[in-house]
Amino acid sequence: MNKMLIAAVVVAAGAGGYWYSQQSTQISASEDPVLGYIPADTPIFSAQLQPFPVKSYINSLSEAYRQYPVDVFDELEQELEQENDPRAKFFVSLMKSYMTSMKDGSSFIQTFGLAENIRSYFYTLGALPVVKVEIENPDAFWSLLDKAEAESGFSHTKANLKGVDYRSYRLTDDTEQEQINWVFAVHDGLLISTLSTSFSEAALLETALGVTPVDNSIVDAHIIEDIINKHGFTNEGISYINHKEIVTALTSTDGNQLAGQLSKLFEMSKEDPFAELKTPACQLELSTIADNWPRTVAGYDLLDINDKESKIGFRAVVESKNQVLLDAYQKLRGYIPAYTQDIENSVFTLGVGIDINQMVPSLTAIWDDMLTPEYQCAPLARMQAQMSQQSPGMLGMFTGMANGVRGVGISLIDYKISDDIDNPQLESLDAVMTLSAENPSMLFNMVKPFAPELANVQLSANGDAIDLSTIIPMPPEMKIKAKMAVKGNHLVLFAGNKGEAVANSLATEPLVNNGLMVVSADYMKMFKPLLTFIELTGEPVPEGLEAIKGYDMRVKMSLNIDQKGFEVDSLSNSRSTE
């Protein structure tokens, strides 16, 4: 996950994504000269405007996370030898250098010539990607490319554009008339990577290399400030996908820079796959949809990094101005119990919040909105025709028995496997599972006729737990005792002392609609006992799982919706190997 993000920043295969710092100083976007070369109509943008501690971040990762199997590329290299493609060998060489450098932060920054703290930028000039990363030692990076050339036989040509020297690697075959080249340059303290083509405007490369600024930049349009102020991200960096610019590109021939580039490509290929969208009806209706869902934006709320540990909080929002849909989706939100939010004291948690009583009316409102107005754009009309043949009202037959349900949750808090080589077994289990509802006792009594083994089970209204040992028989050697109780608005099934503590805490937890979903996992707690068990049995450890055993990492992701749109919130916490 984070490995590939770092790799993308360094080798210009994508955008790096760790941008924010809690303690950094304020910054105005207009003071960053790089932003003056980024057009306001760029469809994709991602930038770190304050230095990210890349050296400390890599050191904070578990040693197992920073290691790769030495033979990971052996099979691929054998195939490349048979195909004799120097371009592929060049890429493989760069990736091998990246993997080798990941052993620690110092090796990483020395290999690529980076400083300990770096700014980075990723954006597109229409369809043309541009990556810029602050660099401290350009000679180290050029040596890296020289090494890849020597190992692959893939060479570059040197060129100069208005005083900026750059390397150009041809990616297309020599027999092809049109050319696509991978360009590297260092200018004004930035490592720049982009593409140049024989069929794109010459001025694009000038802009990408930081020679010629654009007329209407992202600074002029105040896009960065707008996103920060609207969503409360730290003002050190943001990222976004502009849906409106993408729709303009697909429905017009020259509505923005991307549209003009696509039109030229389609003209060369003599086929436009989006011709159906370029009718007046599609232009109007898709533009209206894009106005209601203008952007996907992202930013960081937390970044705390040192050589021993990193904590990164990331949030993405799919913006919406469709009030009907926002209200309907918000009514669907249910209850997420507090214990599912705890990534420090659990192995795995999952919480799903849905207000069953609101499901049918909310989905009906969503359905009706999507069928209104009656679209004239052919692809949208076909979608409506398919939707009109279905109805969410049929769900009412299935939701009646779950009346009053607000959510479900589960947490594997802890588990232990005995180290008896002759008889390894599950020694203890702490876990909890909940059904949250307005009247959980009534729901339990409704289910009893369908489960004969529960016929004689009577749950106490005062929260006392009953032992399920006779109902759910467990092997005596496992020493696991499952219990059930009603705790406030929650029907709780639990095991172990830790599970019982969580169950008791639910007695006073109010039933509020606070989210749609949350999931979390502690990799080390999850896999280490399991892999130890596999080893004790003498069975081979599945490929790919051995390395995970040493991952000291916790992650959490939640899904919610508010008046600004859909929100995905994530938190990752990694600790270095002691």
Side-chain angles (χ1 to χ4, degrees), residues 391-405:
S391 172
M394 293 184 295
L395 289 172
M397 296 184 296
F398 304 100
T399 59
M401 290 192 62
N403 185 51
V405 170

Side-chain angles (χ1 to χ4, degrees), residues 44 78 80 243 245 278 515 517-518:
I44 302 174
Q78 291 176 4
L80 293 177
H243 307 157
E245 295 294 346
K278 292 183 169 64
M517 189 192 76
V518 64

Side-chain angles (χ1 to χ4, degrees), residues 56-344:
S56 293
Y57 175 71
I58 293 173
N59 287 336
S60 73
L61 301 175
S62 301
E63 183 178 353
Y65 191 82
R66 292 184 266 116
Q67 292 180 344
Y68 289 85
V70 293
D71 59 347
V72 68
F73 278 124
D74 287 351
E75 183 176 343
L76 178 58
E77 287 182 305
Q78 291 176 4
E79 294 178 2
L80 293 177
E81 286 293 338
Q82 296 175 359
E83 296 180 7
N84 195 30
D85 187 340
R87 292 166 299 188
K89 294 178 182 178
F90 182 78
F91 293 128
V92 169
S93 175
L94 290 178
M95 286 305 300
K96 288 178 66 177
S97 295
Y98 159 73
M99 294 191 316
T100 302
S101 71
M102 277 291 288
K103 64 181 181 180
D104 58 61
S106 294
S107 297
F108 183 83
I109 64 173
Q110 290 171 10
T111 297
F112 293 97
L114 305 176
E116 294 186 9
N117 305 282
I118 59 172
R119 295 177 176 89
S120 62
Y121 309 80
F122 171 79
Y123 56 94
T124 60
L125 298 172
L128 214 64
V130 181
V131 175
K132 296 184 178 181
V133 182
E134 287 185 331
I135 191 166
E136 185 175 75
N137 182 13
D139 289 340
F141 186 77
W142 297 132
S143 296
L144 184 68
L145 294 185
D146 291 339
K147 176 176 177 289
E149 289 186 23
E151 293 177 352
S152 65
F154 188 46
S155 60
H156 70 275
T157 58
K158 292 184 178 180
N160 182 281
L161 182 63
K162 294 190 174 181
V164 178
D165 294 320
Y166 66 90
R167 289 189 182 191
S168 180
Y169 293 89
R170 182 165 180 170
L171 301 179
T172 49
D173 292 333
D174 295 337
T175 56
E176 296 183 41
Q177 182 178 355
E178 301 295 347
Q179 296 183 26
I180 300 177
N181 300 286
W182 192 8
V183 171
F184 291 97
V186 173
H187 181 53
D188 289 340
L190 293 168
L191 169 64
I192 303 170
S193 177
T194 186
L195 298 178
S196 69
T197 73
S198 58
F199 47 86
S200 59
E201 304 89 342
L204 278 181
L205 186 56
E206 295 180 12
T207 301
L209 295 181
V211 175
T212 304
V214 296
D215 293 332
N216 183 29
S217 73
I218 196 172
V219 177
D220 300 326
H222 303 289
I223 295 174
I224 293 176
E225 294 91 338
D226 173 65
I227 293 175
I228 290 173
N229 293 334
K230 183 176 181 178
H231 297 284
F233 299 133
T234 60
N235 66 348
E236 301 158 40
I238 55 92
S239 176
Y240 68 83
I241 299 173
N242 193 322
H243 307 157
K244 296 174 68 173
E245 295 294 346
I246 293 174
V247 167
T248 298
L250 298 180
T251 60
S252 69
T253 57
D254 58 0
N256 56 20
Q257 189 176 54
L258 179 57
Q261 293 173 353
L262 291 178
S263 296
K264 191 168 184 179
L265 283 173
F266 299 153
E267 182 180 347
M268 291 168 54
S269 64
K270 296 181 173 56
E271 181 182 3
D272 183 353
F274 303 109
E276 193 177 24
L277 302 181
K278 292 183 169 64
T279 64
C282 285
Q283 289 175 354
L284 175 61
E285 292 168 357
L286 287 171
S287 293
T288 300
I289 294 173
D291 286 339
N292 278 329
W293 302 86
R295 296 177 303 203
T296 295
V297 301
Y300 279 78
D301 300 313
L302 168 68
L303 191 146
D304 184 9
I305 294 176
N306 56 54
D307 284 339
K308 297 296 183 182
E309 183 175 7
S310 63
K311 294 180 180 179
I312 301 175
F314 169 82
R315 181 161 47 96
V317 182
V318 181
E319 295 180 334
S320 177
K321 298 179 181 178
N322 188 319
Q323 199 60 50
V324 173
L325 291 185
L326 287 176
D327 290 343
Y329 281 119
Q330 282 187 285
K331 289 178 181 177
L332 272 176
R333 298 164 70 245
Y335 168 77
I336 305 290
Y339 71 82
T340 62
Q341 310 281 351
D342 187 358
I343 65 173
E344 290 291 339

Side-chain angles (χ1 to χ4, degrees), residues 36-50:
Y37 297 86
I38 304 175
D41 67 355
T42 180
I44 302 174
F45 172 83
S46 172
Q48 174 180 327
L49 305 176
Q50 287 290 326

